[in-house]
Amino acid sequence: MASSDDESFFSNDEEHANQISEIRRFRDPVHDYMPFSPLVCAIIDTKQFQRLRHIKQLGTSYYVWPGASHNRFEHCLGVAYLAQTMVRHLQHSQRELNISDKEVERVTIAGLVHDLGHGPWSHVWDSLFIPKALPDSTWKHEDASEMMFDDLIATNNLSHSIDDTARTLIKDLIRGRRDENKAAKPFLFDIVANNRNGLDVDKFDYIARDTRAVDDRTFTSVSRLIHSARVIDDQICYDIKDANQVYELCYTRFSLHKRIYNHKTAKAIEYMIVDTLLAAEQHMKIAERIRDPKRYVYLTESILTEIQASTAPELEKARKICDRIASRDLYKSVDYKVFPWAHMSQCSDYFTPENIVQAAKNLKVPDDDRVEDKIVAELGPEHVIVDLAPMHYGMGDKNPLDSVKFYSKRNPKSCRAAEPGDISLLMPAVFGEVMLRVYTRESRFFGLVQAGYRECLKQFNPEGMSQSTDGTKTPILDSGTAASSSSSVASLSTRWQDNKFTTVGINFQPPSPGKGTKRGLGREGSGGSAKKRAVSHGTSTFKLSTL
């Protein structure tokens, strides 16, 4: 006999009532039992979907948080369940919307397959590796999701259940292409991929699942938000009494990006994995697999094991990087700073490995703390990584609540945006920032790279950036003239202060795994005495005109 949960899963439609006995229920640690129809289960039971068992949801965060071992597989099940739950809630609570059972199933399938095309280590693949391996490509994992969905339908005889109309709608729901599908109900596009304000069941699931995985359960109101949802003016709105829950969701998203997804060690390993794949690319042709579903279906994180187990001499460089990851001999974060959102493009243009290396090579330091000539000569842009990570609440530098409409119990048929006093007066002044982190691939360059970066920081003036004839960026002083002397540079130094918590000496080298601290550490974690720590930036030969 079907349980009450099973009965609520389907409407009173006779066709679906006959299928209750065929429902499969998946036990999930986040959402408890998740019931799915035979068609949804048929998609789950394909090699295209089962591939997601081998793609980590949090990518390299698993190297930092051992509990973050969950995969895209269970995340997609969770998104399908929440999509199904929300659309069923709307179907039953607002019958005037005329949501059909077919629409319910298509929204559920969109939630299920929305991440079907994620590559190994998730966003490491399409945000870091593919742009470098295929610089002229505009490929994104959404392209692969559509490709794999088409292949899944064709190779598993599902075209009779998912016709072209259904397939088009499902793809549009995944992309949030509301304007491209005029035949569909507009509010359906707010469920899986909400491009209006970012509030969708994809975020509901990954925020709940990821916080649980790192044992930080700060957001637990998924069910409340779903049952608060109501369609007004063709968009999903929420009860004003749940506005703080919406804010908490947005804040938790920011917090996860700040603390977990962009953790300095996880990011270091990301770059090591990318370097491994790039080193192996010429021999293994990894990037070429993105356009062939027959090869893509086997493209998982096992590729790292394949490289490690190889004996081909062409893969020696790649194997060495893998060995460094395994022995925790990681790329080192030498410094970081948080910048205003408005300076993102200037930071990207200005803080480059080339500029940092040039600044480091041109530094003039006291004789008693001089860096070995060999180290200075060998330092090159290939030893420096600049990571620029935008951090926000889900809508860039905008308050996401400005794009959310609310209703009240007393007036459930009209909606409007909430005013500050309707929610809280303790809102952040800004909702976006940029985290800039500088890494070195070799520990011996640690102190030198930090000194070079800090010299660049002294001269960074985002309010005035001119472009020279050779295309390089030149900071401009407030007077409108290019900075060219150490005295001019000094006038900018009060704008951007060095990070006192990360300061080391110019000769500092961090300890290797299993070894003690190397030379260069002294009082307050910096190199040697206060005198030795000082780098004579005022007499630096680093020239602004070359930036």
Side-chain angles (χ1 to χ4, degrees), residues 108-389:
T108 303
I109 292 172
L112 184 70
V113 302
H114 79 287
D115 277 350
L116 199 60
H118 262 291
W121 304 282
S122 298
H123 295 291
V124 172
W125 181 264
D126 58 339
S127 298
L128 294 177
F129 171 62
I130 291 298
K132 291 185 177 181
L134 302 174
D136 296 327
S137 174
T138 59
W139 181 93
K140 297 295 182 185
H141 74 266
E142 291 89 352
D143 301 323
S145 290
E146 293 190 10
M147 175 186 75
M148 295 302 290
F149 185 49
D150 288 337
D151 187 63
L152 183 153
I153 294 172
T155 59
N156 294 282
N157 299 317
L158 293 176
S159 56
H160 63 286
S161 300
I162 306 175
D163 59 21
D164 289 343
T165 300
R167 185 186 314 195
T168 299
L169 175 59
I170 290 167
K171 289 181 178 180
D172 289 343
L173 290 170
I174 292 172
R175 295 270 197 169
R177 294 184 291 216
R178 183 193 314 265
D179 296 335
E180 296 183 26
N181 197 319
K182 301 295 185 181
K185 295 180 174 70
F187 62 84
L188 295 178
F189 294 88
D190 290 350
I191 297 176
V192 176
N194 190 339
N195 292 329
R196 187 202 309 275
N197 53 41
L199 282 181
D200 50 49
V201 295
D202 180 22
K203 282 189 179 63
F204 290 1
D205 181 84
Y206 82 65
I207 288 176
R209 195 172 299 277
D210 294 354
T211 53
R212 182 185 185 278
V214 298
D215 198 26
D216 183 15
R217 307 181 193 186
T218 56
F219 178 75
T220 57
S221 304
V222 169
S223 177
R224 182 182 180 109
L225 283 180
I226 286 179
H227 288 91
S228 174
R230 180 175 178 81
V231 175
I232 305 173
D233 296 337
D234 277 337
Q235 61 182 294
I236 293 179
C237 309
Y238 296 90
D239 195 322
I240 186 61
K241 69 181 182 181
D242 296 319
N244 285 316
Q245 301 293 332
V246 174
Y247 172 77
E248 184 181 346
L249 175 80
C250 298
Y251 169 77
T252 304
R253 179 201 181 277
F254 164 77
S255 180
L256 284 170
H257 277 269
K258 183 91 169 183
R259 298 178 299 110
I260 312 299
Y261 308 153
N262 288 281
H263 187 277
K264 66 181 181 64
T265 303
K267 295 295 289 187
I269 296 174
E270 282 187 9
Y271 284 105
M272 297 184 78
I273 289 174
V274 171
D275 285 351
T276 299
L277 298 177
L278 290 173
E281 175 62 18
Q282 186 173 0
H283 179 66
M284 299 181 68
K285 308 298 181 186
I286 303 166
E288 294 179 3
R289 308 178 194 182
I290 63 174
R291 306 193 191 282
D292 182 358
K294 301 299 183 291
R295 301 181 70 192
Y296 199 85
V297 74
Y298 300 112
L299 190 56
T300 68
E301 291 165 16
S302 63
I303 194 168
L304 210 62
T305 303
E306 182 182 345
I307 292 171
Q308 288 176 294
S310 70
T311 57
E314 297 89 346
L315 295 177
E316 182 180 1
K317 180 179 178 181
R319 285 195 298 271
K320 286 183 177 180
I321 302 175
C322 288
D323 290 343
R324 287 186 62 181
I325 296 175
S327 62
R328 215 66 175 183
D329 181 17
L330 308 178
Y331 296 167
K332 303 299 182 184
S333 171
V334 304
D335 219 336
Y336 73 90
K337 197 165 193 66
V338 178
F339 289 90
W341 182 269
H343 295 163
M344 189 185 320
S345 62
Q346 294 96 325
C347 286
S348 178
D349 290 336
Y350 183 77
F351 292 104
T352 65
E354 291 78 12
N355 288 349
I356 291 172
V357 168
Q358 181 183 343
K361 287 180 177 291
N362 289 339
L363 283 170
K364 188 172 183 180
V365 300
D367 290 339
D368 58 353
D369 203 20
R370 182 174 297 279
V371 183
E372 295 178 21
D373 291 341
K374 179 181 179 181
I375 291 180
V376 176
E378 291 180 352
L379 175 64
E382 68 276 10
H383 299 120
V384 178
I385 297 169
V386 179
D387 180 74
L388 202 63

